[in-house]
Amino acid sequence: MQKKGIVDVLILIFLLLLSVTTLYPILNLLFVSLSSMDEVVKSNGMMLYPKSINLDGYRYIFRHAGLSDAYMMTIFITVVGTAINLIMTTLGAYVLSVKDMPGRNPLMMFVLVTMFFSGGLIPSYLVIKGLGMVNTVWALLLPGAISAWLLILMRNFFQSIPKELRESAKIDGSSEYGVLWRIMLPLSLPIMATLALFYGVGHWNEYINVIIYINDEKLSTLQVLLRRMYTSGAISEIDGDALPPPVETVRAATVILTSLPIISVYPFLQRYFVQGMIVGAVKG
């Protein structure tokens, strides 16, 4: 009994150390972003806590003229893009989960092929350009409307739901859309939350597609704007003649501002995440 207690204490200490090593880099960035230049220099960038609160780095960033537009653009493509992803993926997964649907196996094979082979960058760009979507927000929303891997994950989750529920609804006169809306979706909250997290994080970190397809600076996302701020020296130009805060503080503040919104969403979806991944991954 005493031996078991010692093992539990050792496991607890190990988990605490693991938690600290995981959280400390994020906390250190937060402390640096809230500290003055003197504190950052004295601590050599490694802080246990901020001795005083200094918001110059955040004020400095928010004075950038394009930041609010980039934030709104990123929020827009995250919300609208995730909604499109969920709608398209749900419709495709439900169709492929019905085992007696004609042509199901060829369609499934088509989906699997896209997981291993892509058209390449130049053909993809020519297709997007031919459809007139270059330099529009649709180039960021529609080409990746369905992820093949997440489609299969959701199809497997649908197949884990007893087919008798669908058959009972059909006997009661429900249409396929009624079965999907009233039976399948209320039971699929874990996988919907899991997919929303995957798609949402992808849209929030949108970078490559913006570089390739977007030339209008008003359509730049937050990640692209921050890169331009660093590479073009825009950080030192925001204030004009005013002395800017240290680069380390501004850099830490930008990382916190770009990461905090998506980190804040995760705790609300975390309880569904494990269930959605496990059930969707093992059923087929």
Side-chain angles (χ1 to χ4, degrees), residues 25 40 76 90 111 159 170 187 198 208 231-232 251 265 273:
V40 175
F76 174 78
T90 299
V111 172
Q159 288 182 345
K170 296 280 286 185
L187 297 173
F198 276 115
I208 295 297
T231 57
S232 67
R251 185 172 298 169
V265 172
F273 186 77

Side-chain angles (χ1 to χ4, degrees), residues 31-254:
F31 298 155
V32 170
S33 70
L34 296 174
S35 301
S36 64
M37 181 173 63
D38 293 339
E39 289 184 42
V40 175
V41 172
K42 288 178 181 177
S43 64
N44 200 24
M46 302 291 288
M47 308 182 68
L48 294 178
Y49 60 90
K51 294 181 180 178
S52 61
I53 302 299
N54 188 317
L55 299 178
D56 287 347
Y58 290 97
R59 294 192 189 99
Y60 197 73
I61 294 172
F62 277 110
R63 277 196 290 272
H64 192 282
L67 185 65
S68 58
D69 292 338
Y71 240 111
M72 294 305 297
M73 180 63 187
T74 302
I75 292 173
F76 174 78
I77 66 169
T78 300
V79 174
V80 177
T82 302
I84 292 175
N85 292 139
L86 289 179
I87 292 172
M88 300 300 291
T89 305
T90 299
L91 294 176
Y94 179 67
V95 169
L96 293 174
S97 69
V98 179
K99 293 185 177 180
D100 55 354
M101 187 196 74
R104 173 176 176 268
N105 290 334
L107 281 175
M108 196 63 217
M109 184 62 67
F110 178 77
V111 172
L112 287 174
V113 168
T114 64
M115 288 182 62
F116 302 102
F117 304 99
S118 66
L121 178 60
I122 301 302
S124 298
Y125 180 82
L126 293 177
V127 171
I128 299 298
K129 183 179 180 182
L131 294 173
M133 293 194 295
V134 171
N135 218 24
T136 69
V137 70
W138 300 111
L140 308 177
L141 299 177
L142 297 183
I146 297 179
S147 163
W149 178 63
L150 295 180
L151 175 72
I152 294 172
L153 198 70
M154 192 165 196
R155 184 208 66 158
N156 292 346
F157 192 94
F158 280 154
Q159 288 182 345
S160 70
I161 298 174
K163 64 178 182 180
E164 288 78 9
L165 291 176
R166 177 173 172 269
E167 293 173 352
S168 298
K170 296 280 286 185
I171 292 173
D172 290 340
S174 179
S175 63
E176 290 290 352
Y177 289 107
V179 173
L180 175 62
W181 182 252
R182 296 186 178 88
I183 305 296
M184 305 299 280
L185 288 183
L187 297 173
S188 304
L189 196 56
I191 193 66
M192 294 288 287
T194 303
L195 265 60
L197 186 62
F198 276 115
Y199 281 128
V201 171
H203 285 299
W204 185 264
N205 293 324
E206 188 68 77
Y207 177 77
I208 295 297
N209 288 332
V210 181
I211 295 294
I212 296 173
Y213 300 122
I214 302 298
N215 298 318
D216 189 351
E217 290 190 2
K218 293 182 179 178
L219 299 179
S220 293
T221 60
L222 196 57
Q223 313 297 336
V224 175
L225 177 69
L226 293 178
R227 176 184 174 275
R228 288 174 181 165
M229 288 172 63
Y230 284 117
T231 57
S232 67
I235 286 180
S236 60
E237 298 171 356
I238 296 173
D239 253 355
D241 297 333
L243 184 64
V247 174
E248 289 80 6
T249 302
V250 177
R251 185 172 298 169
T254 56

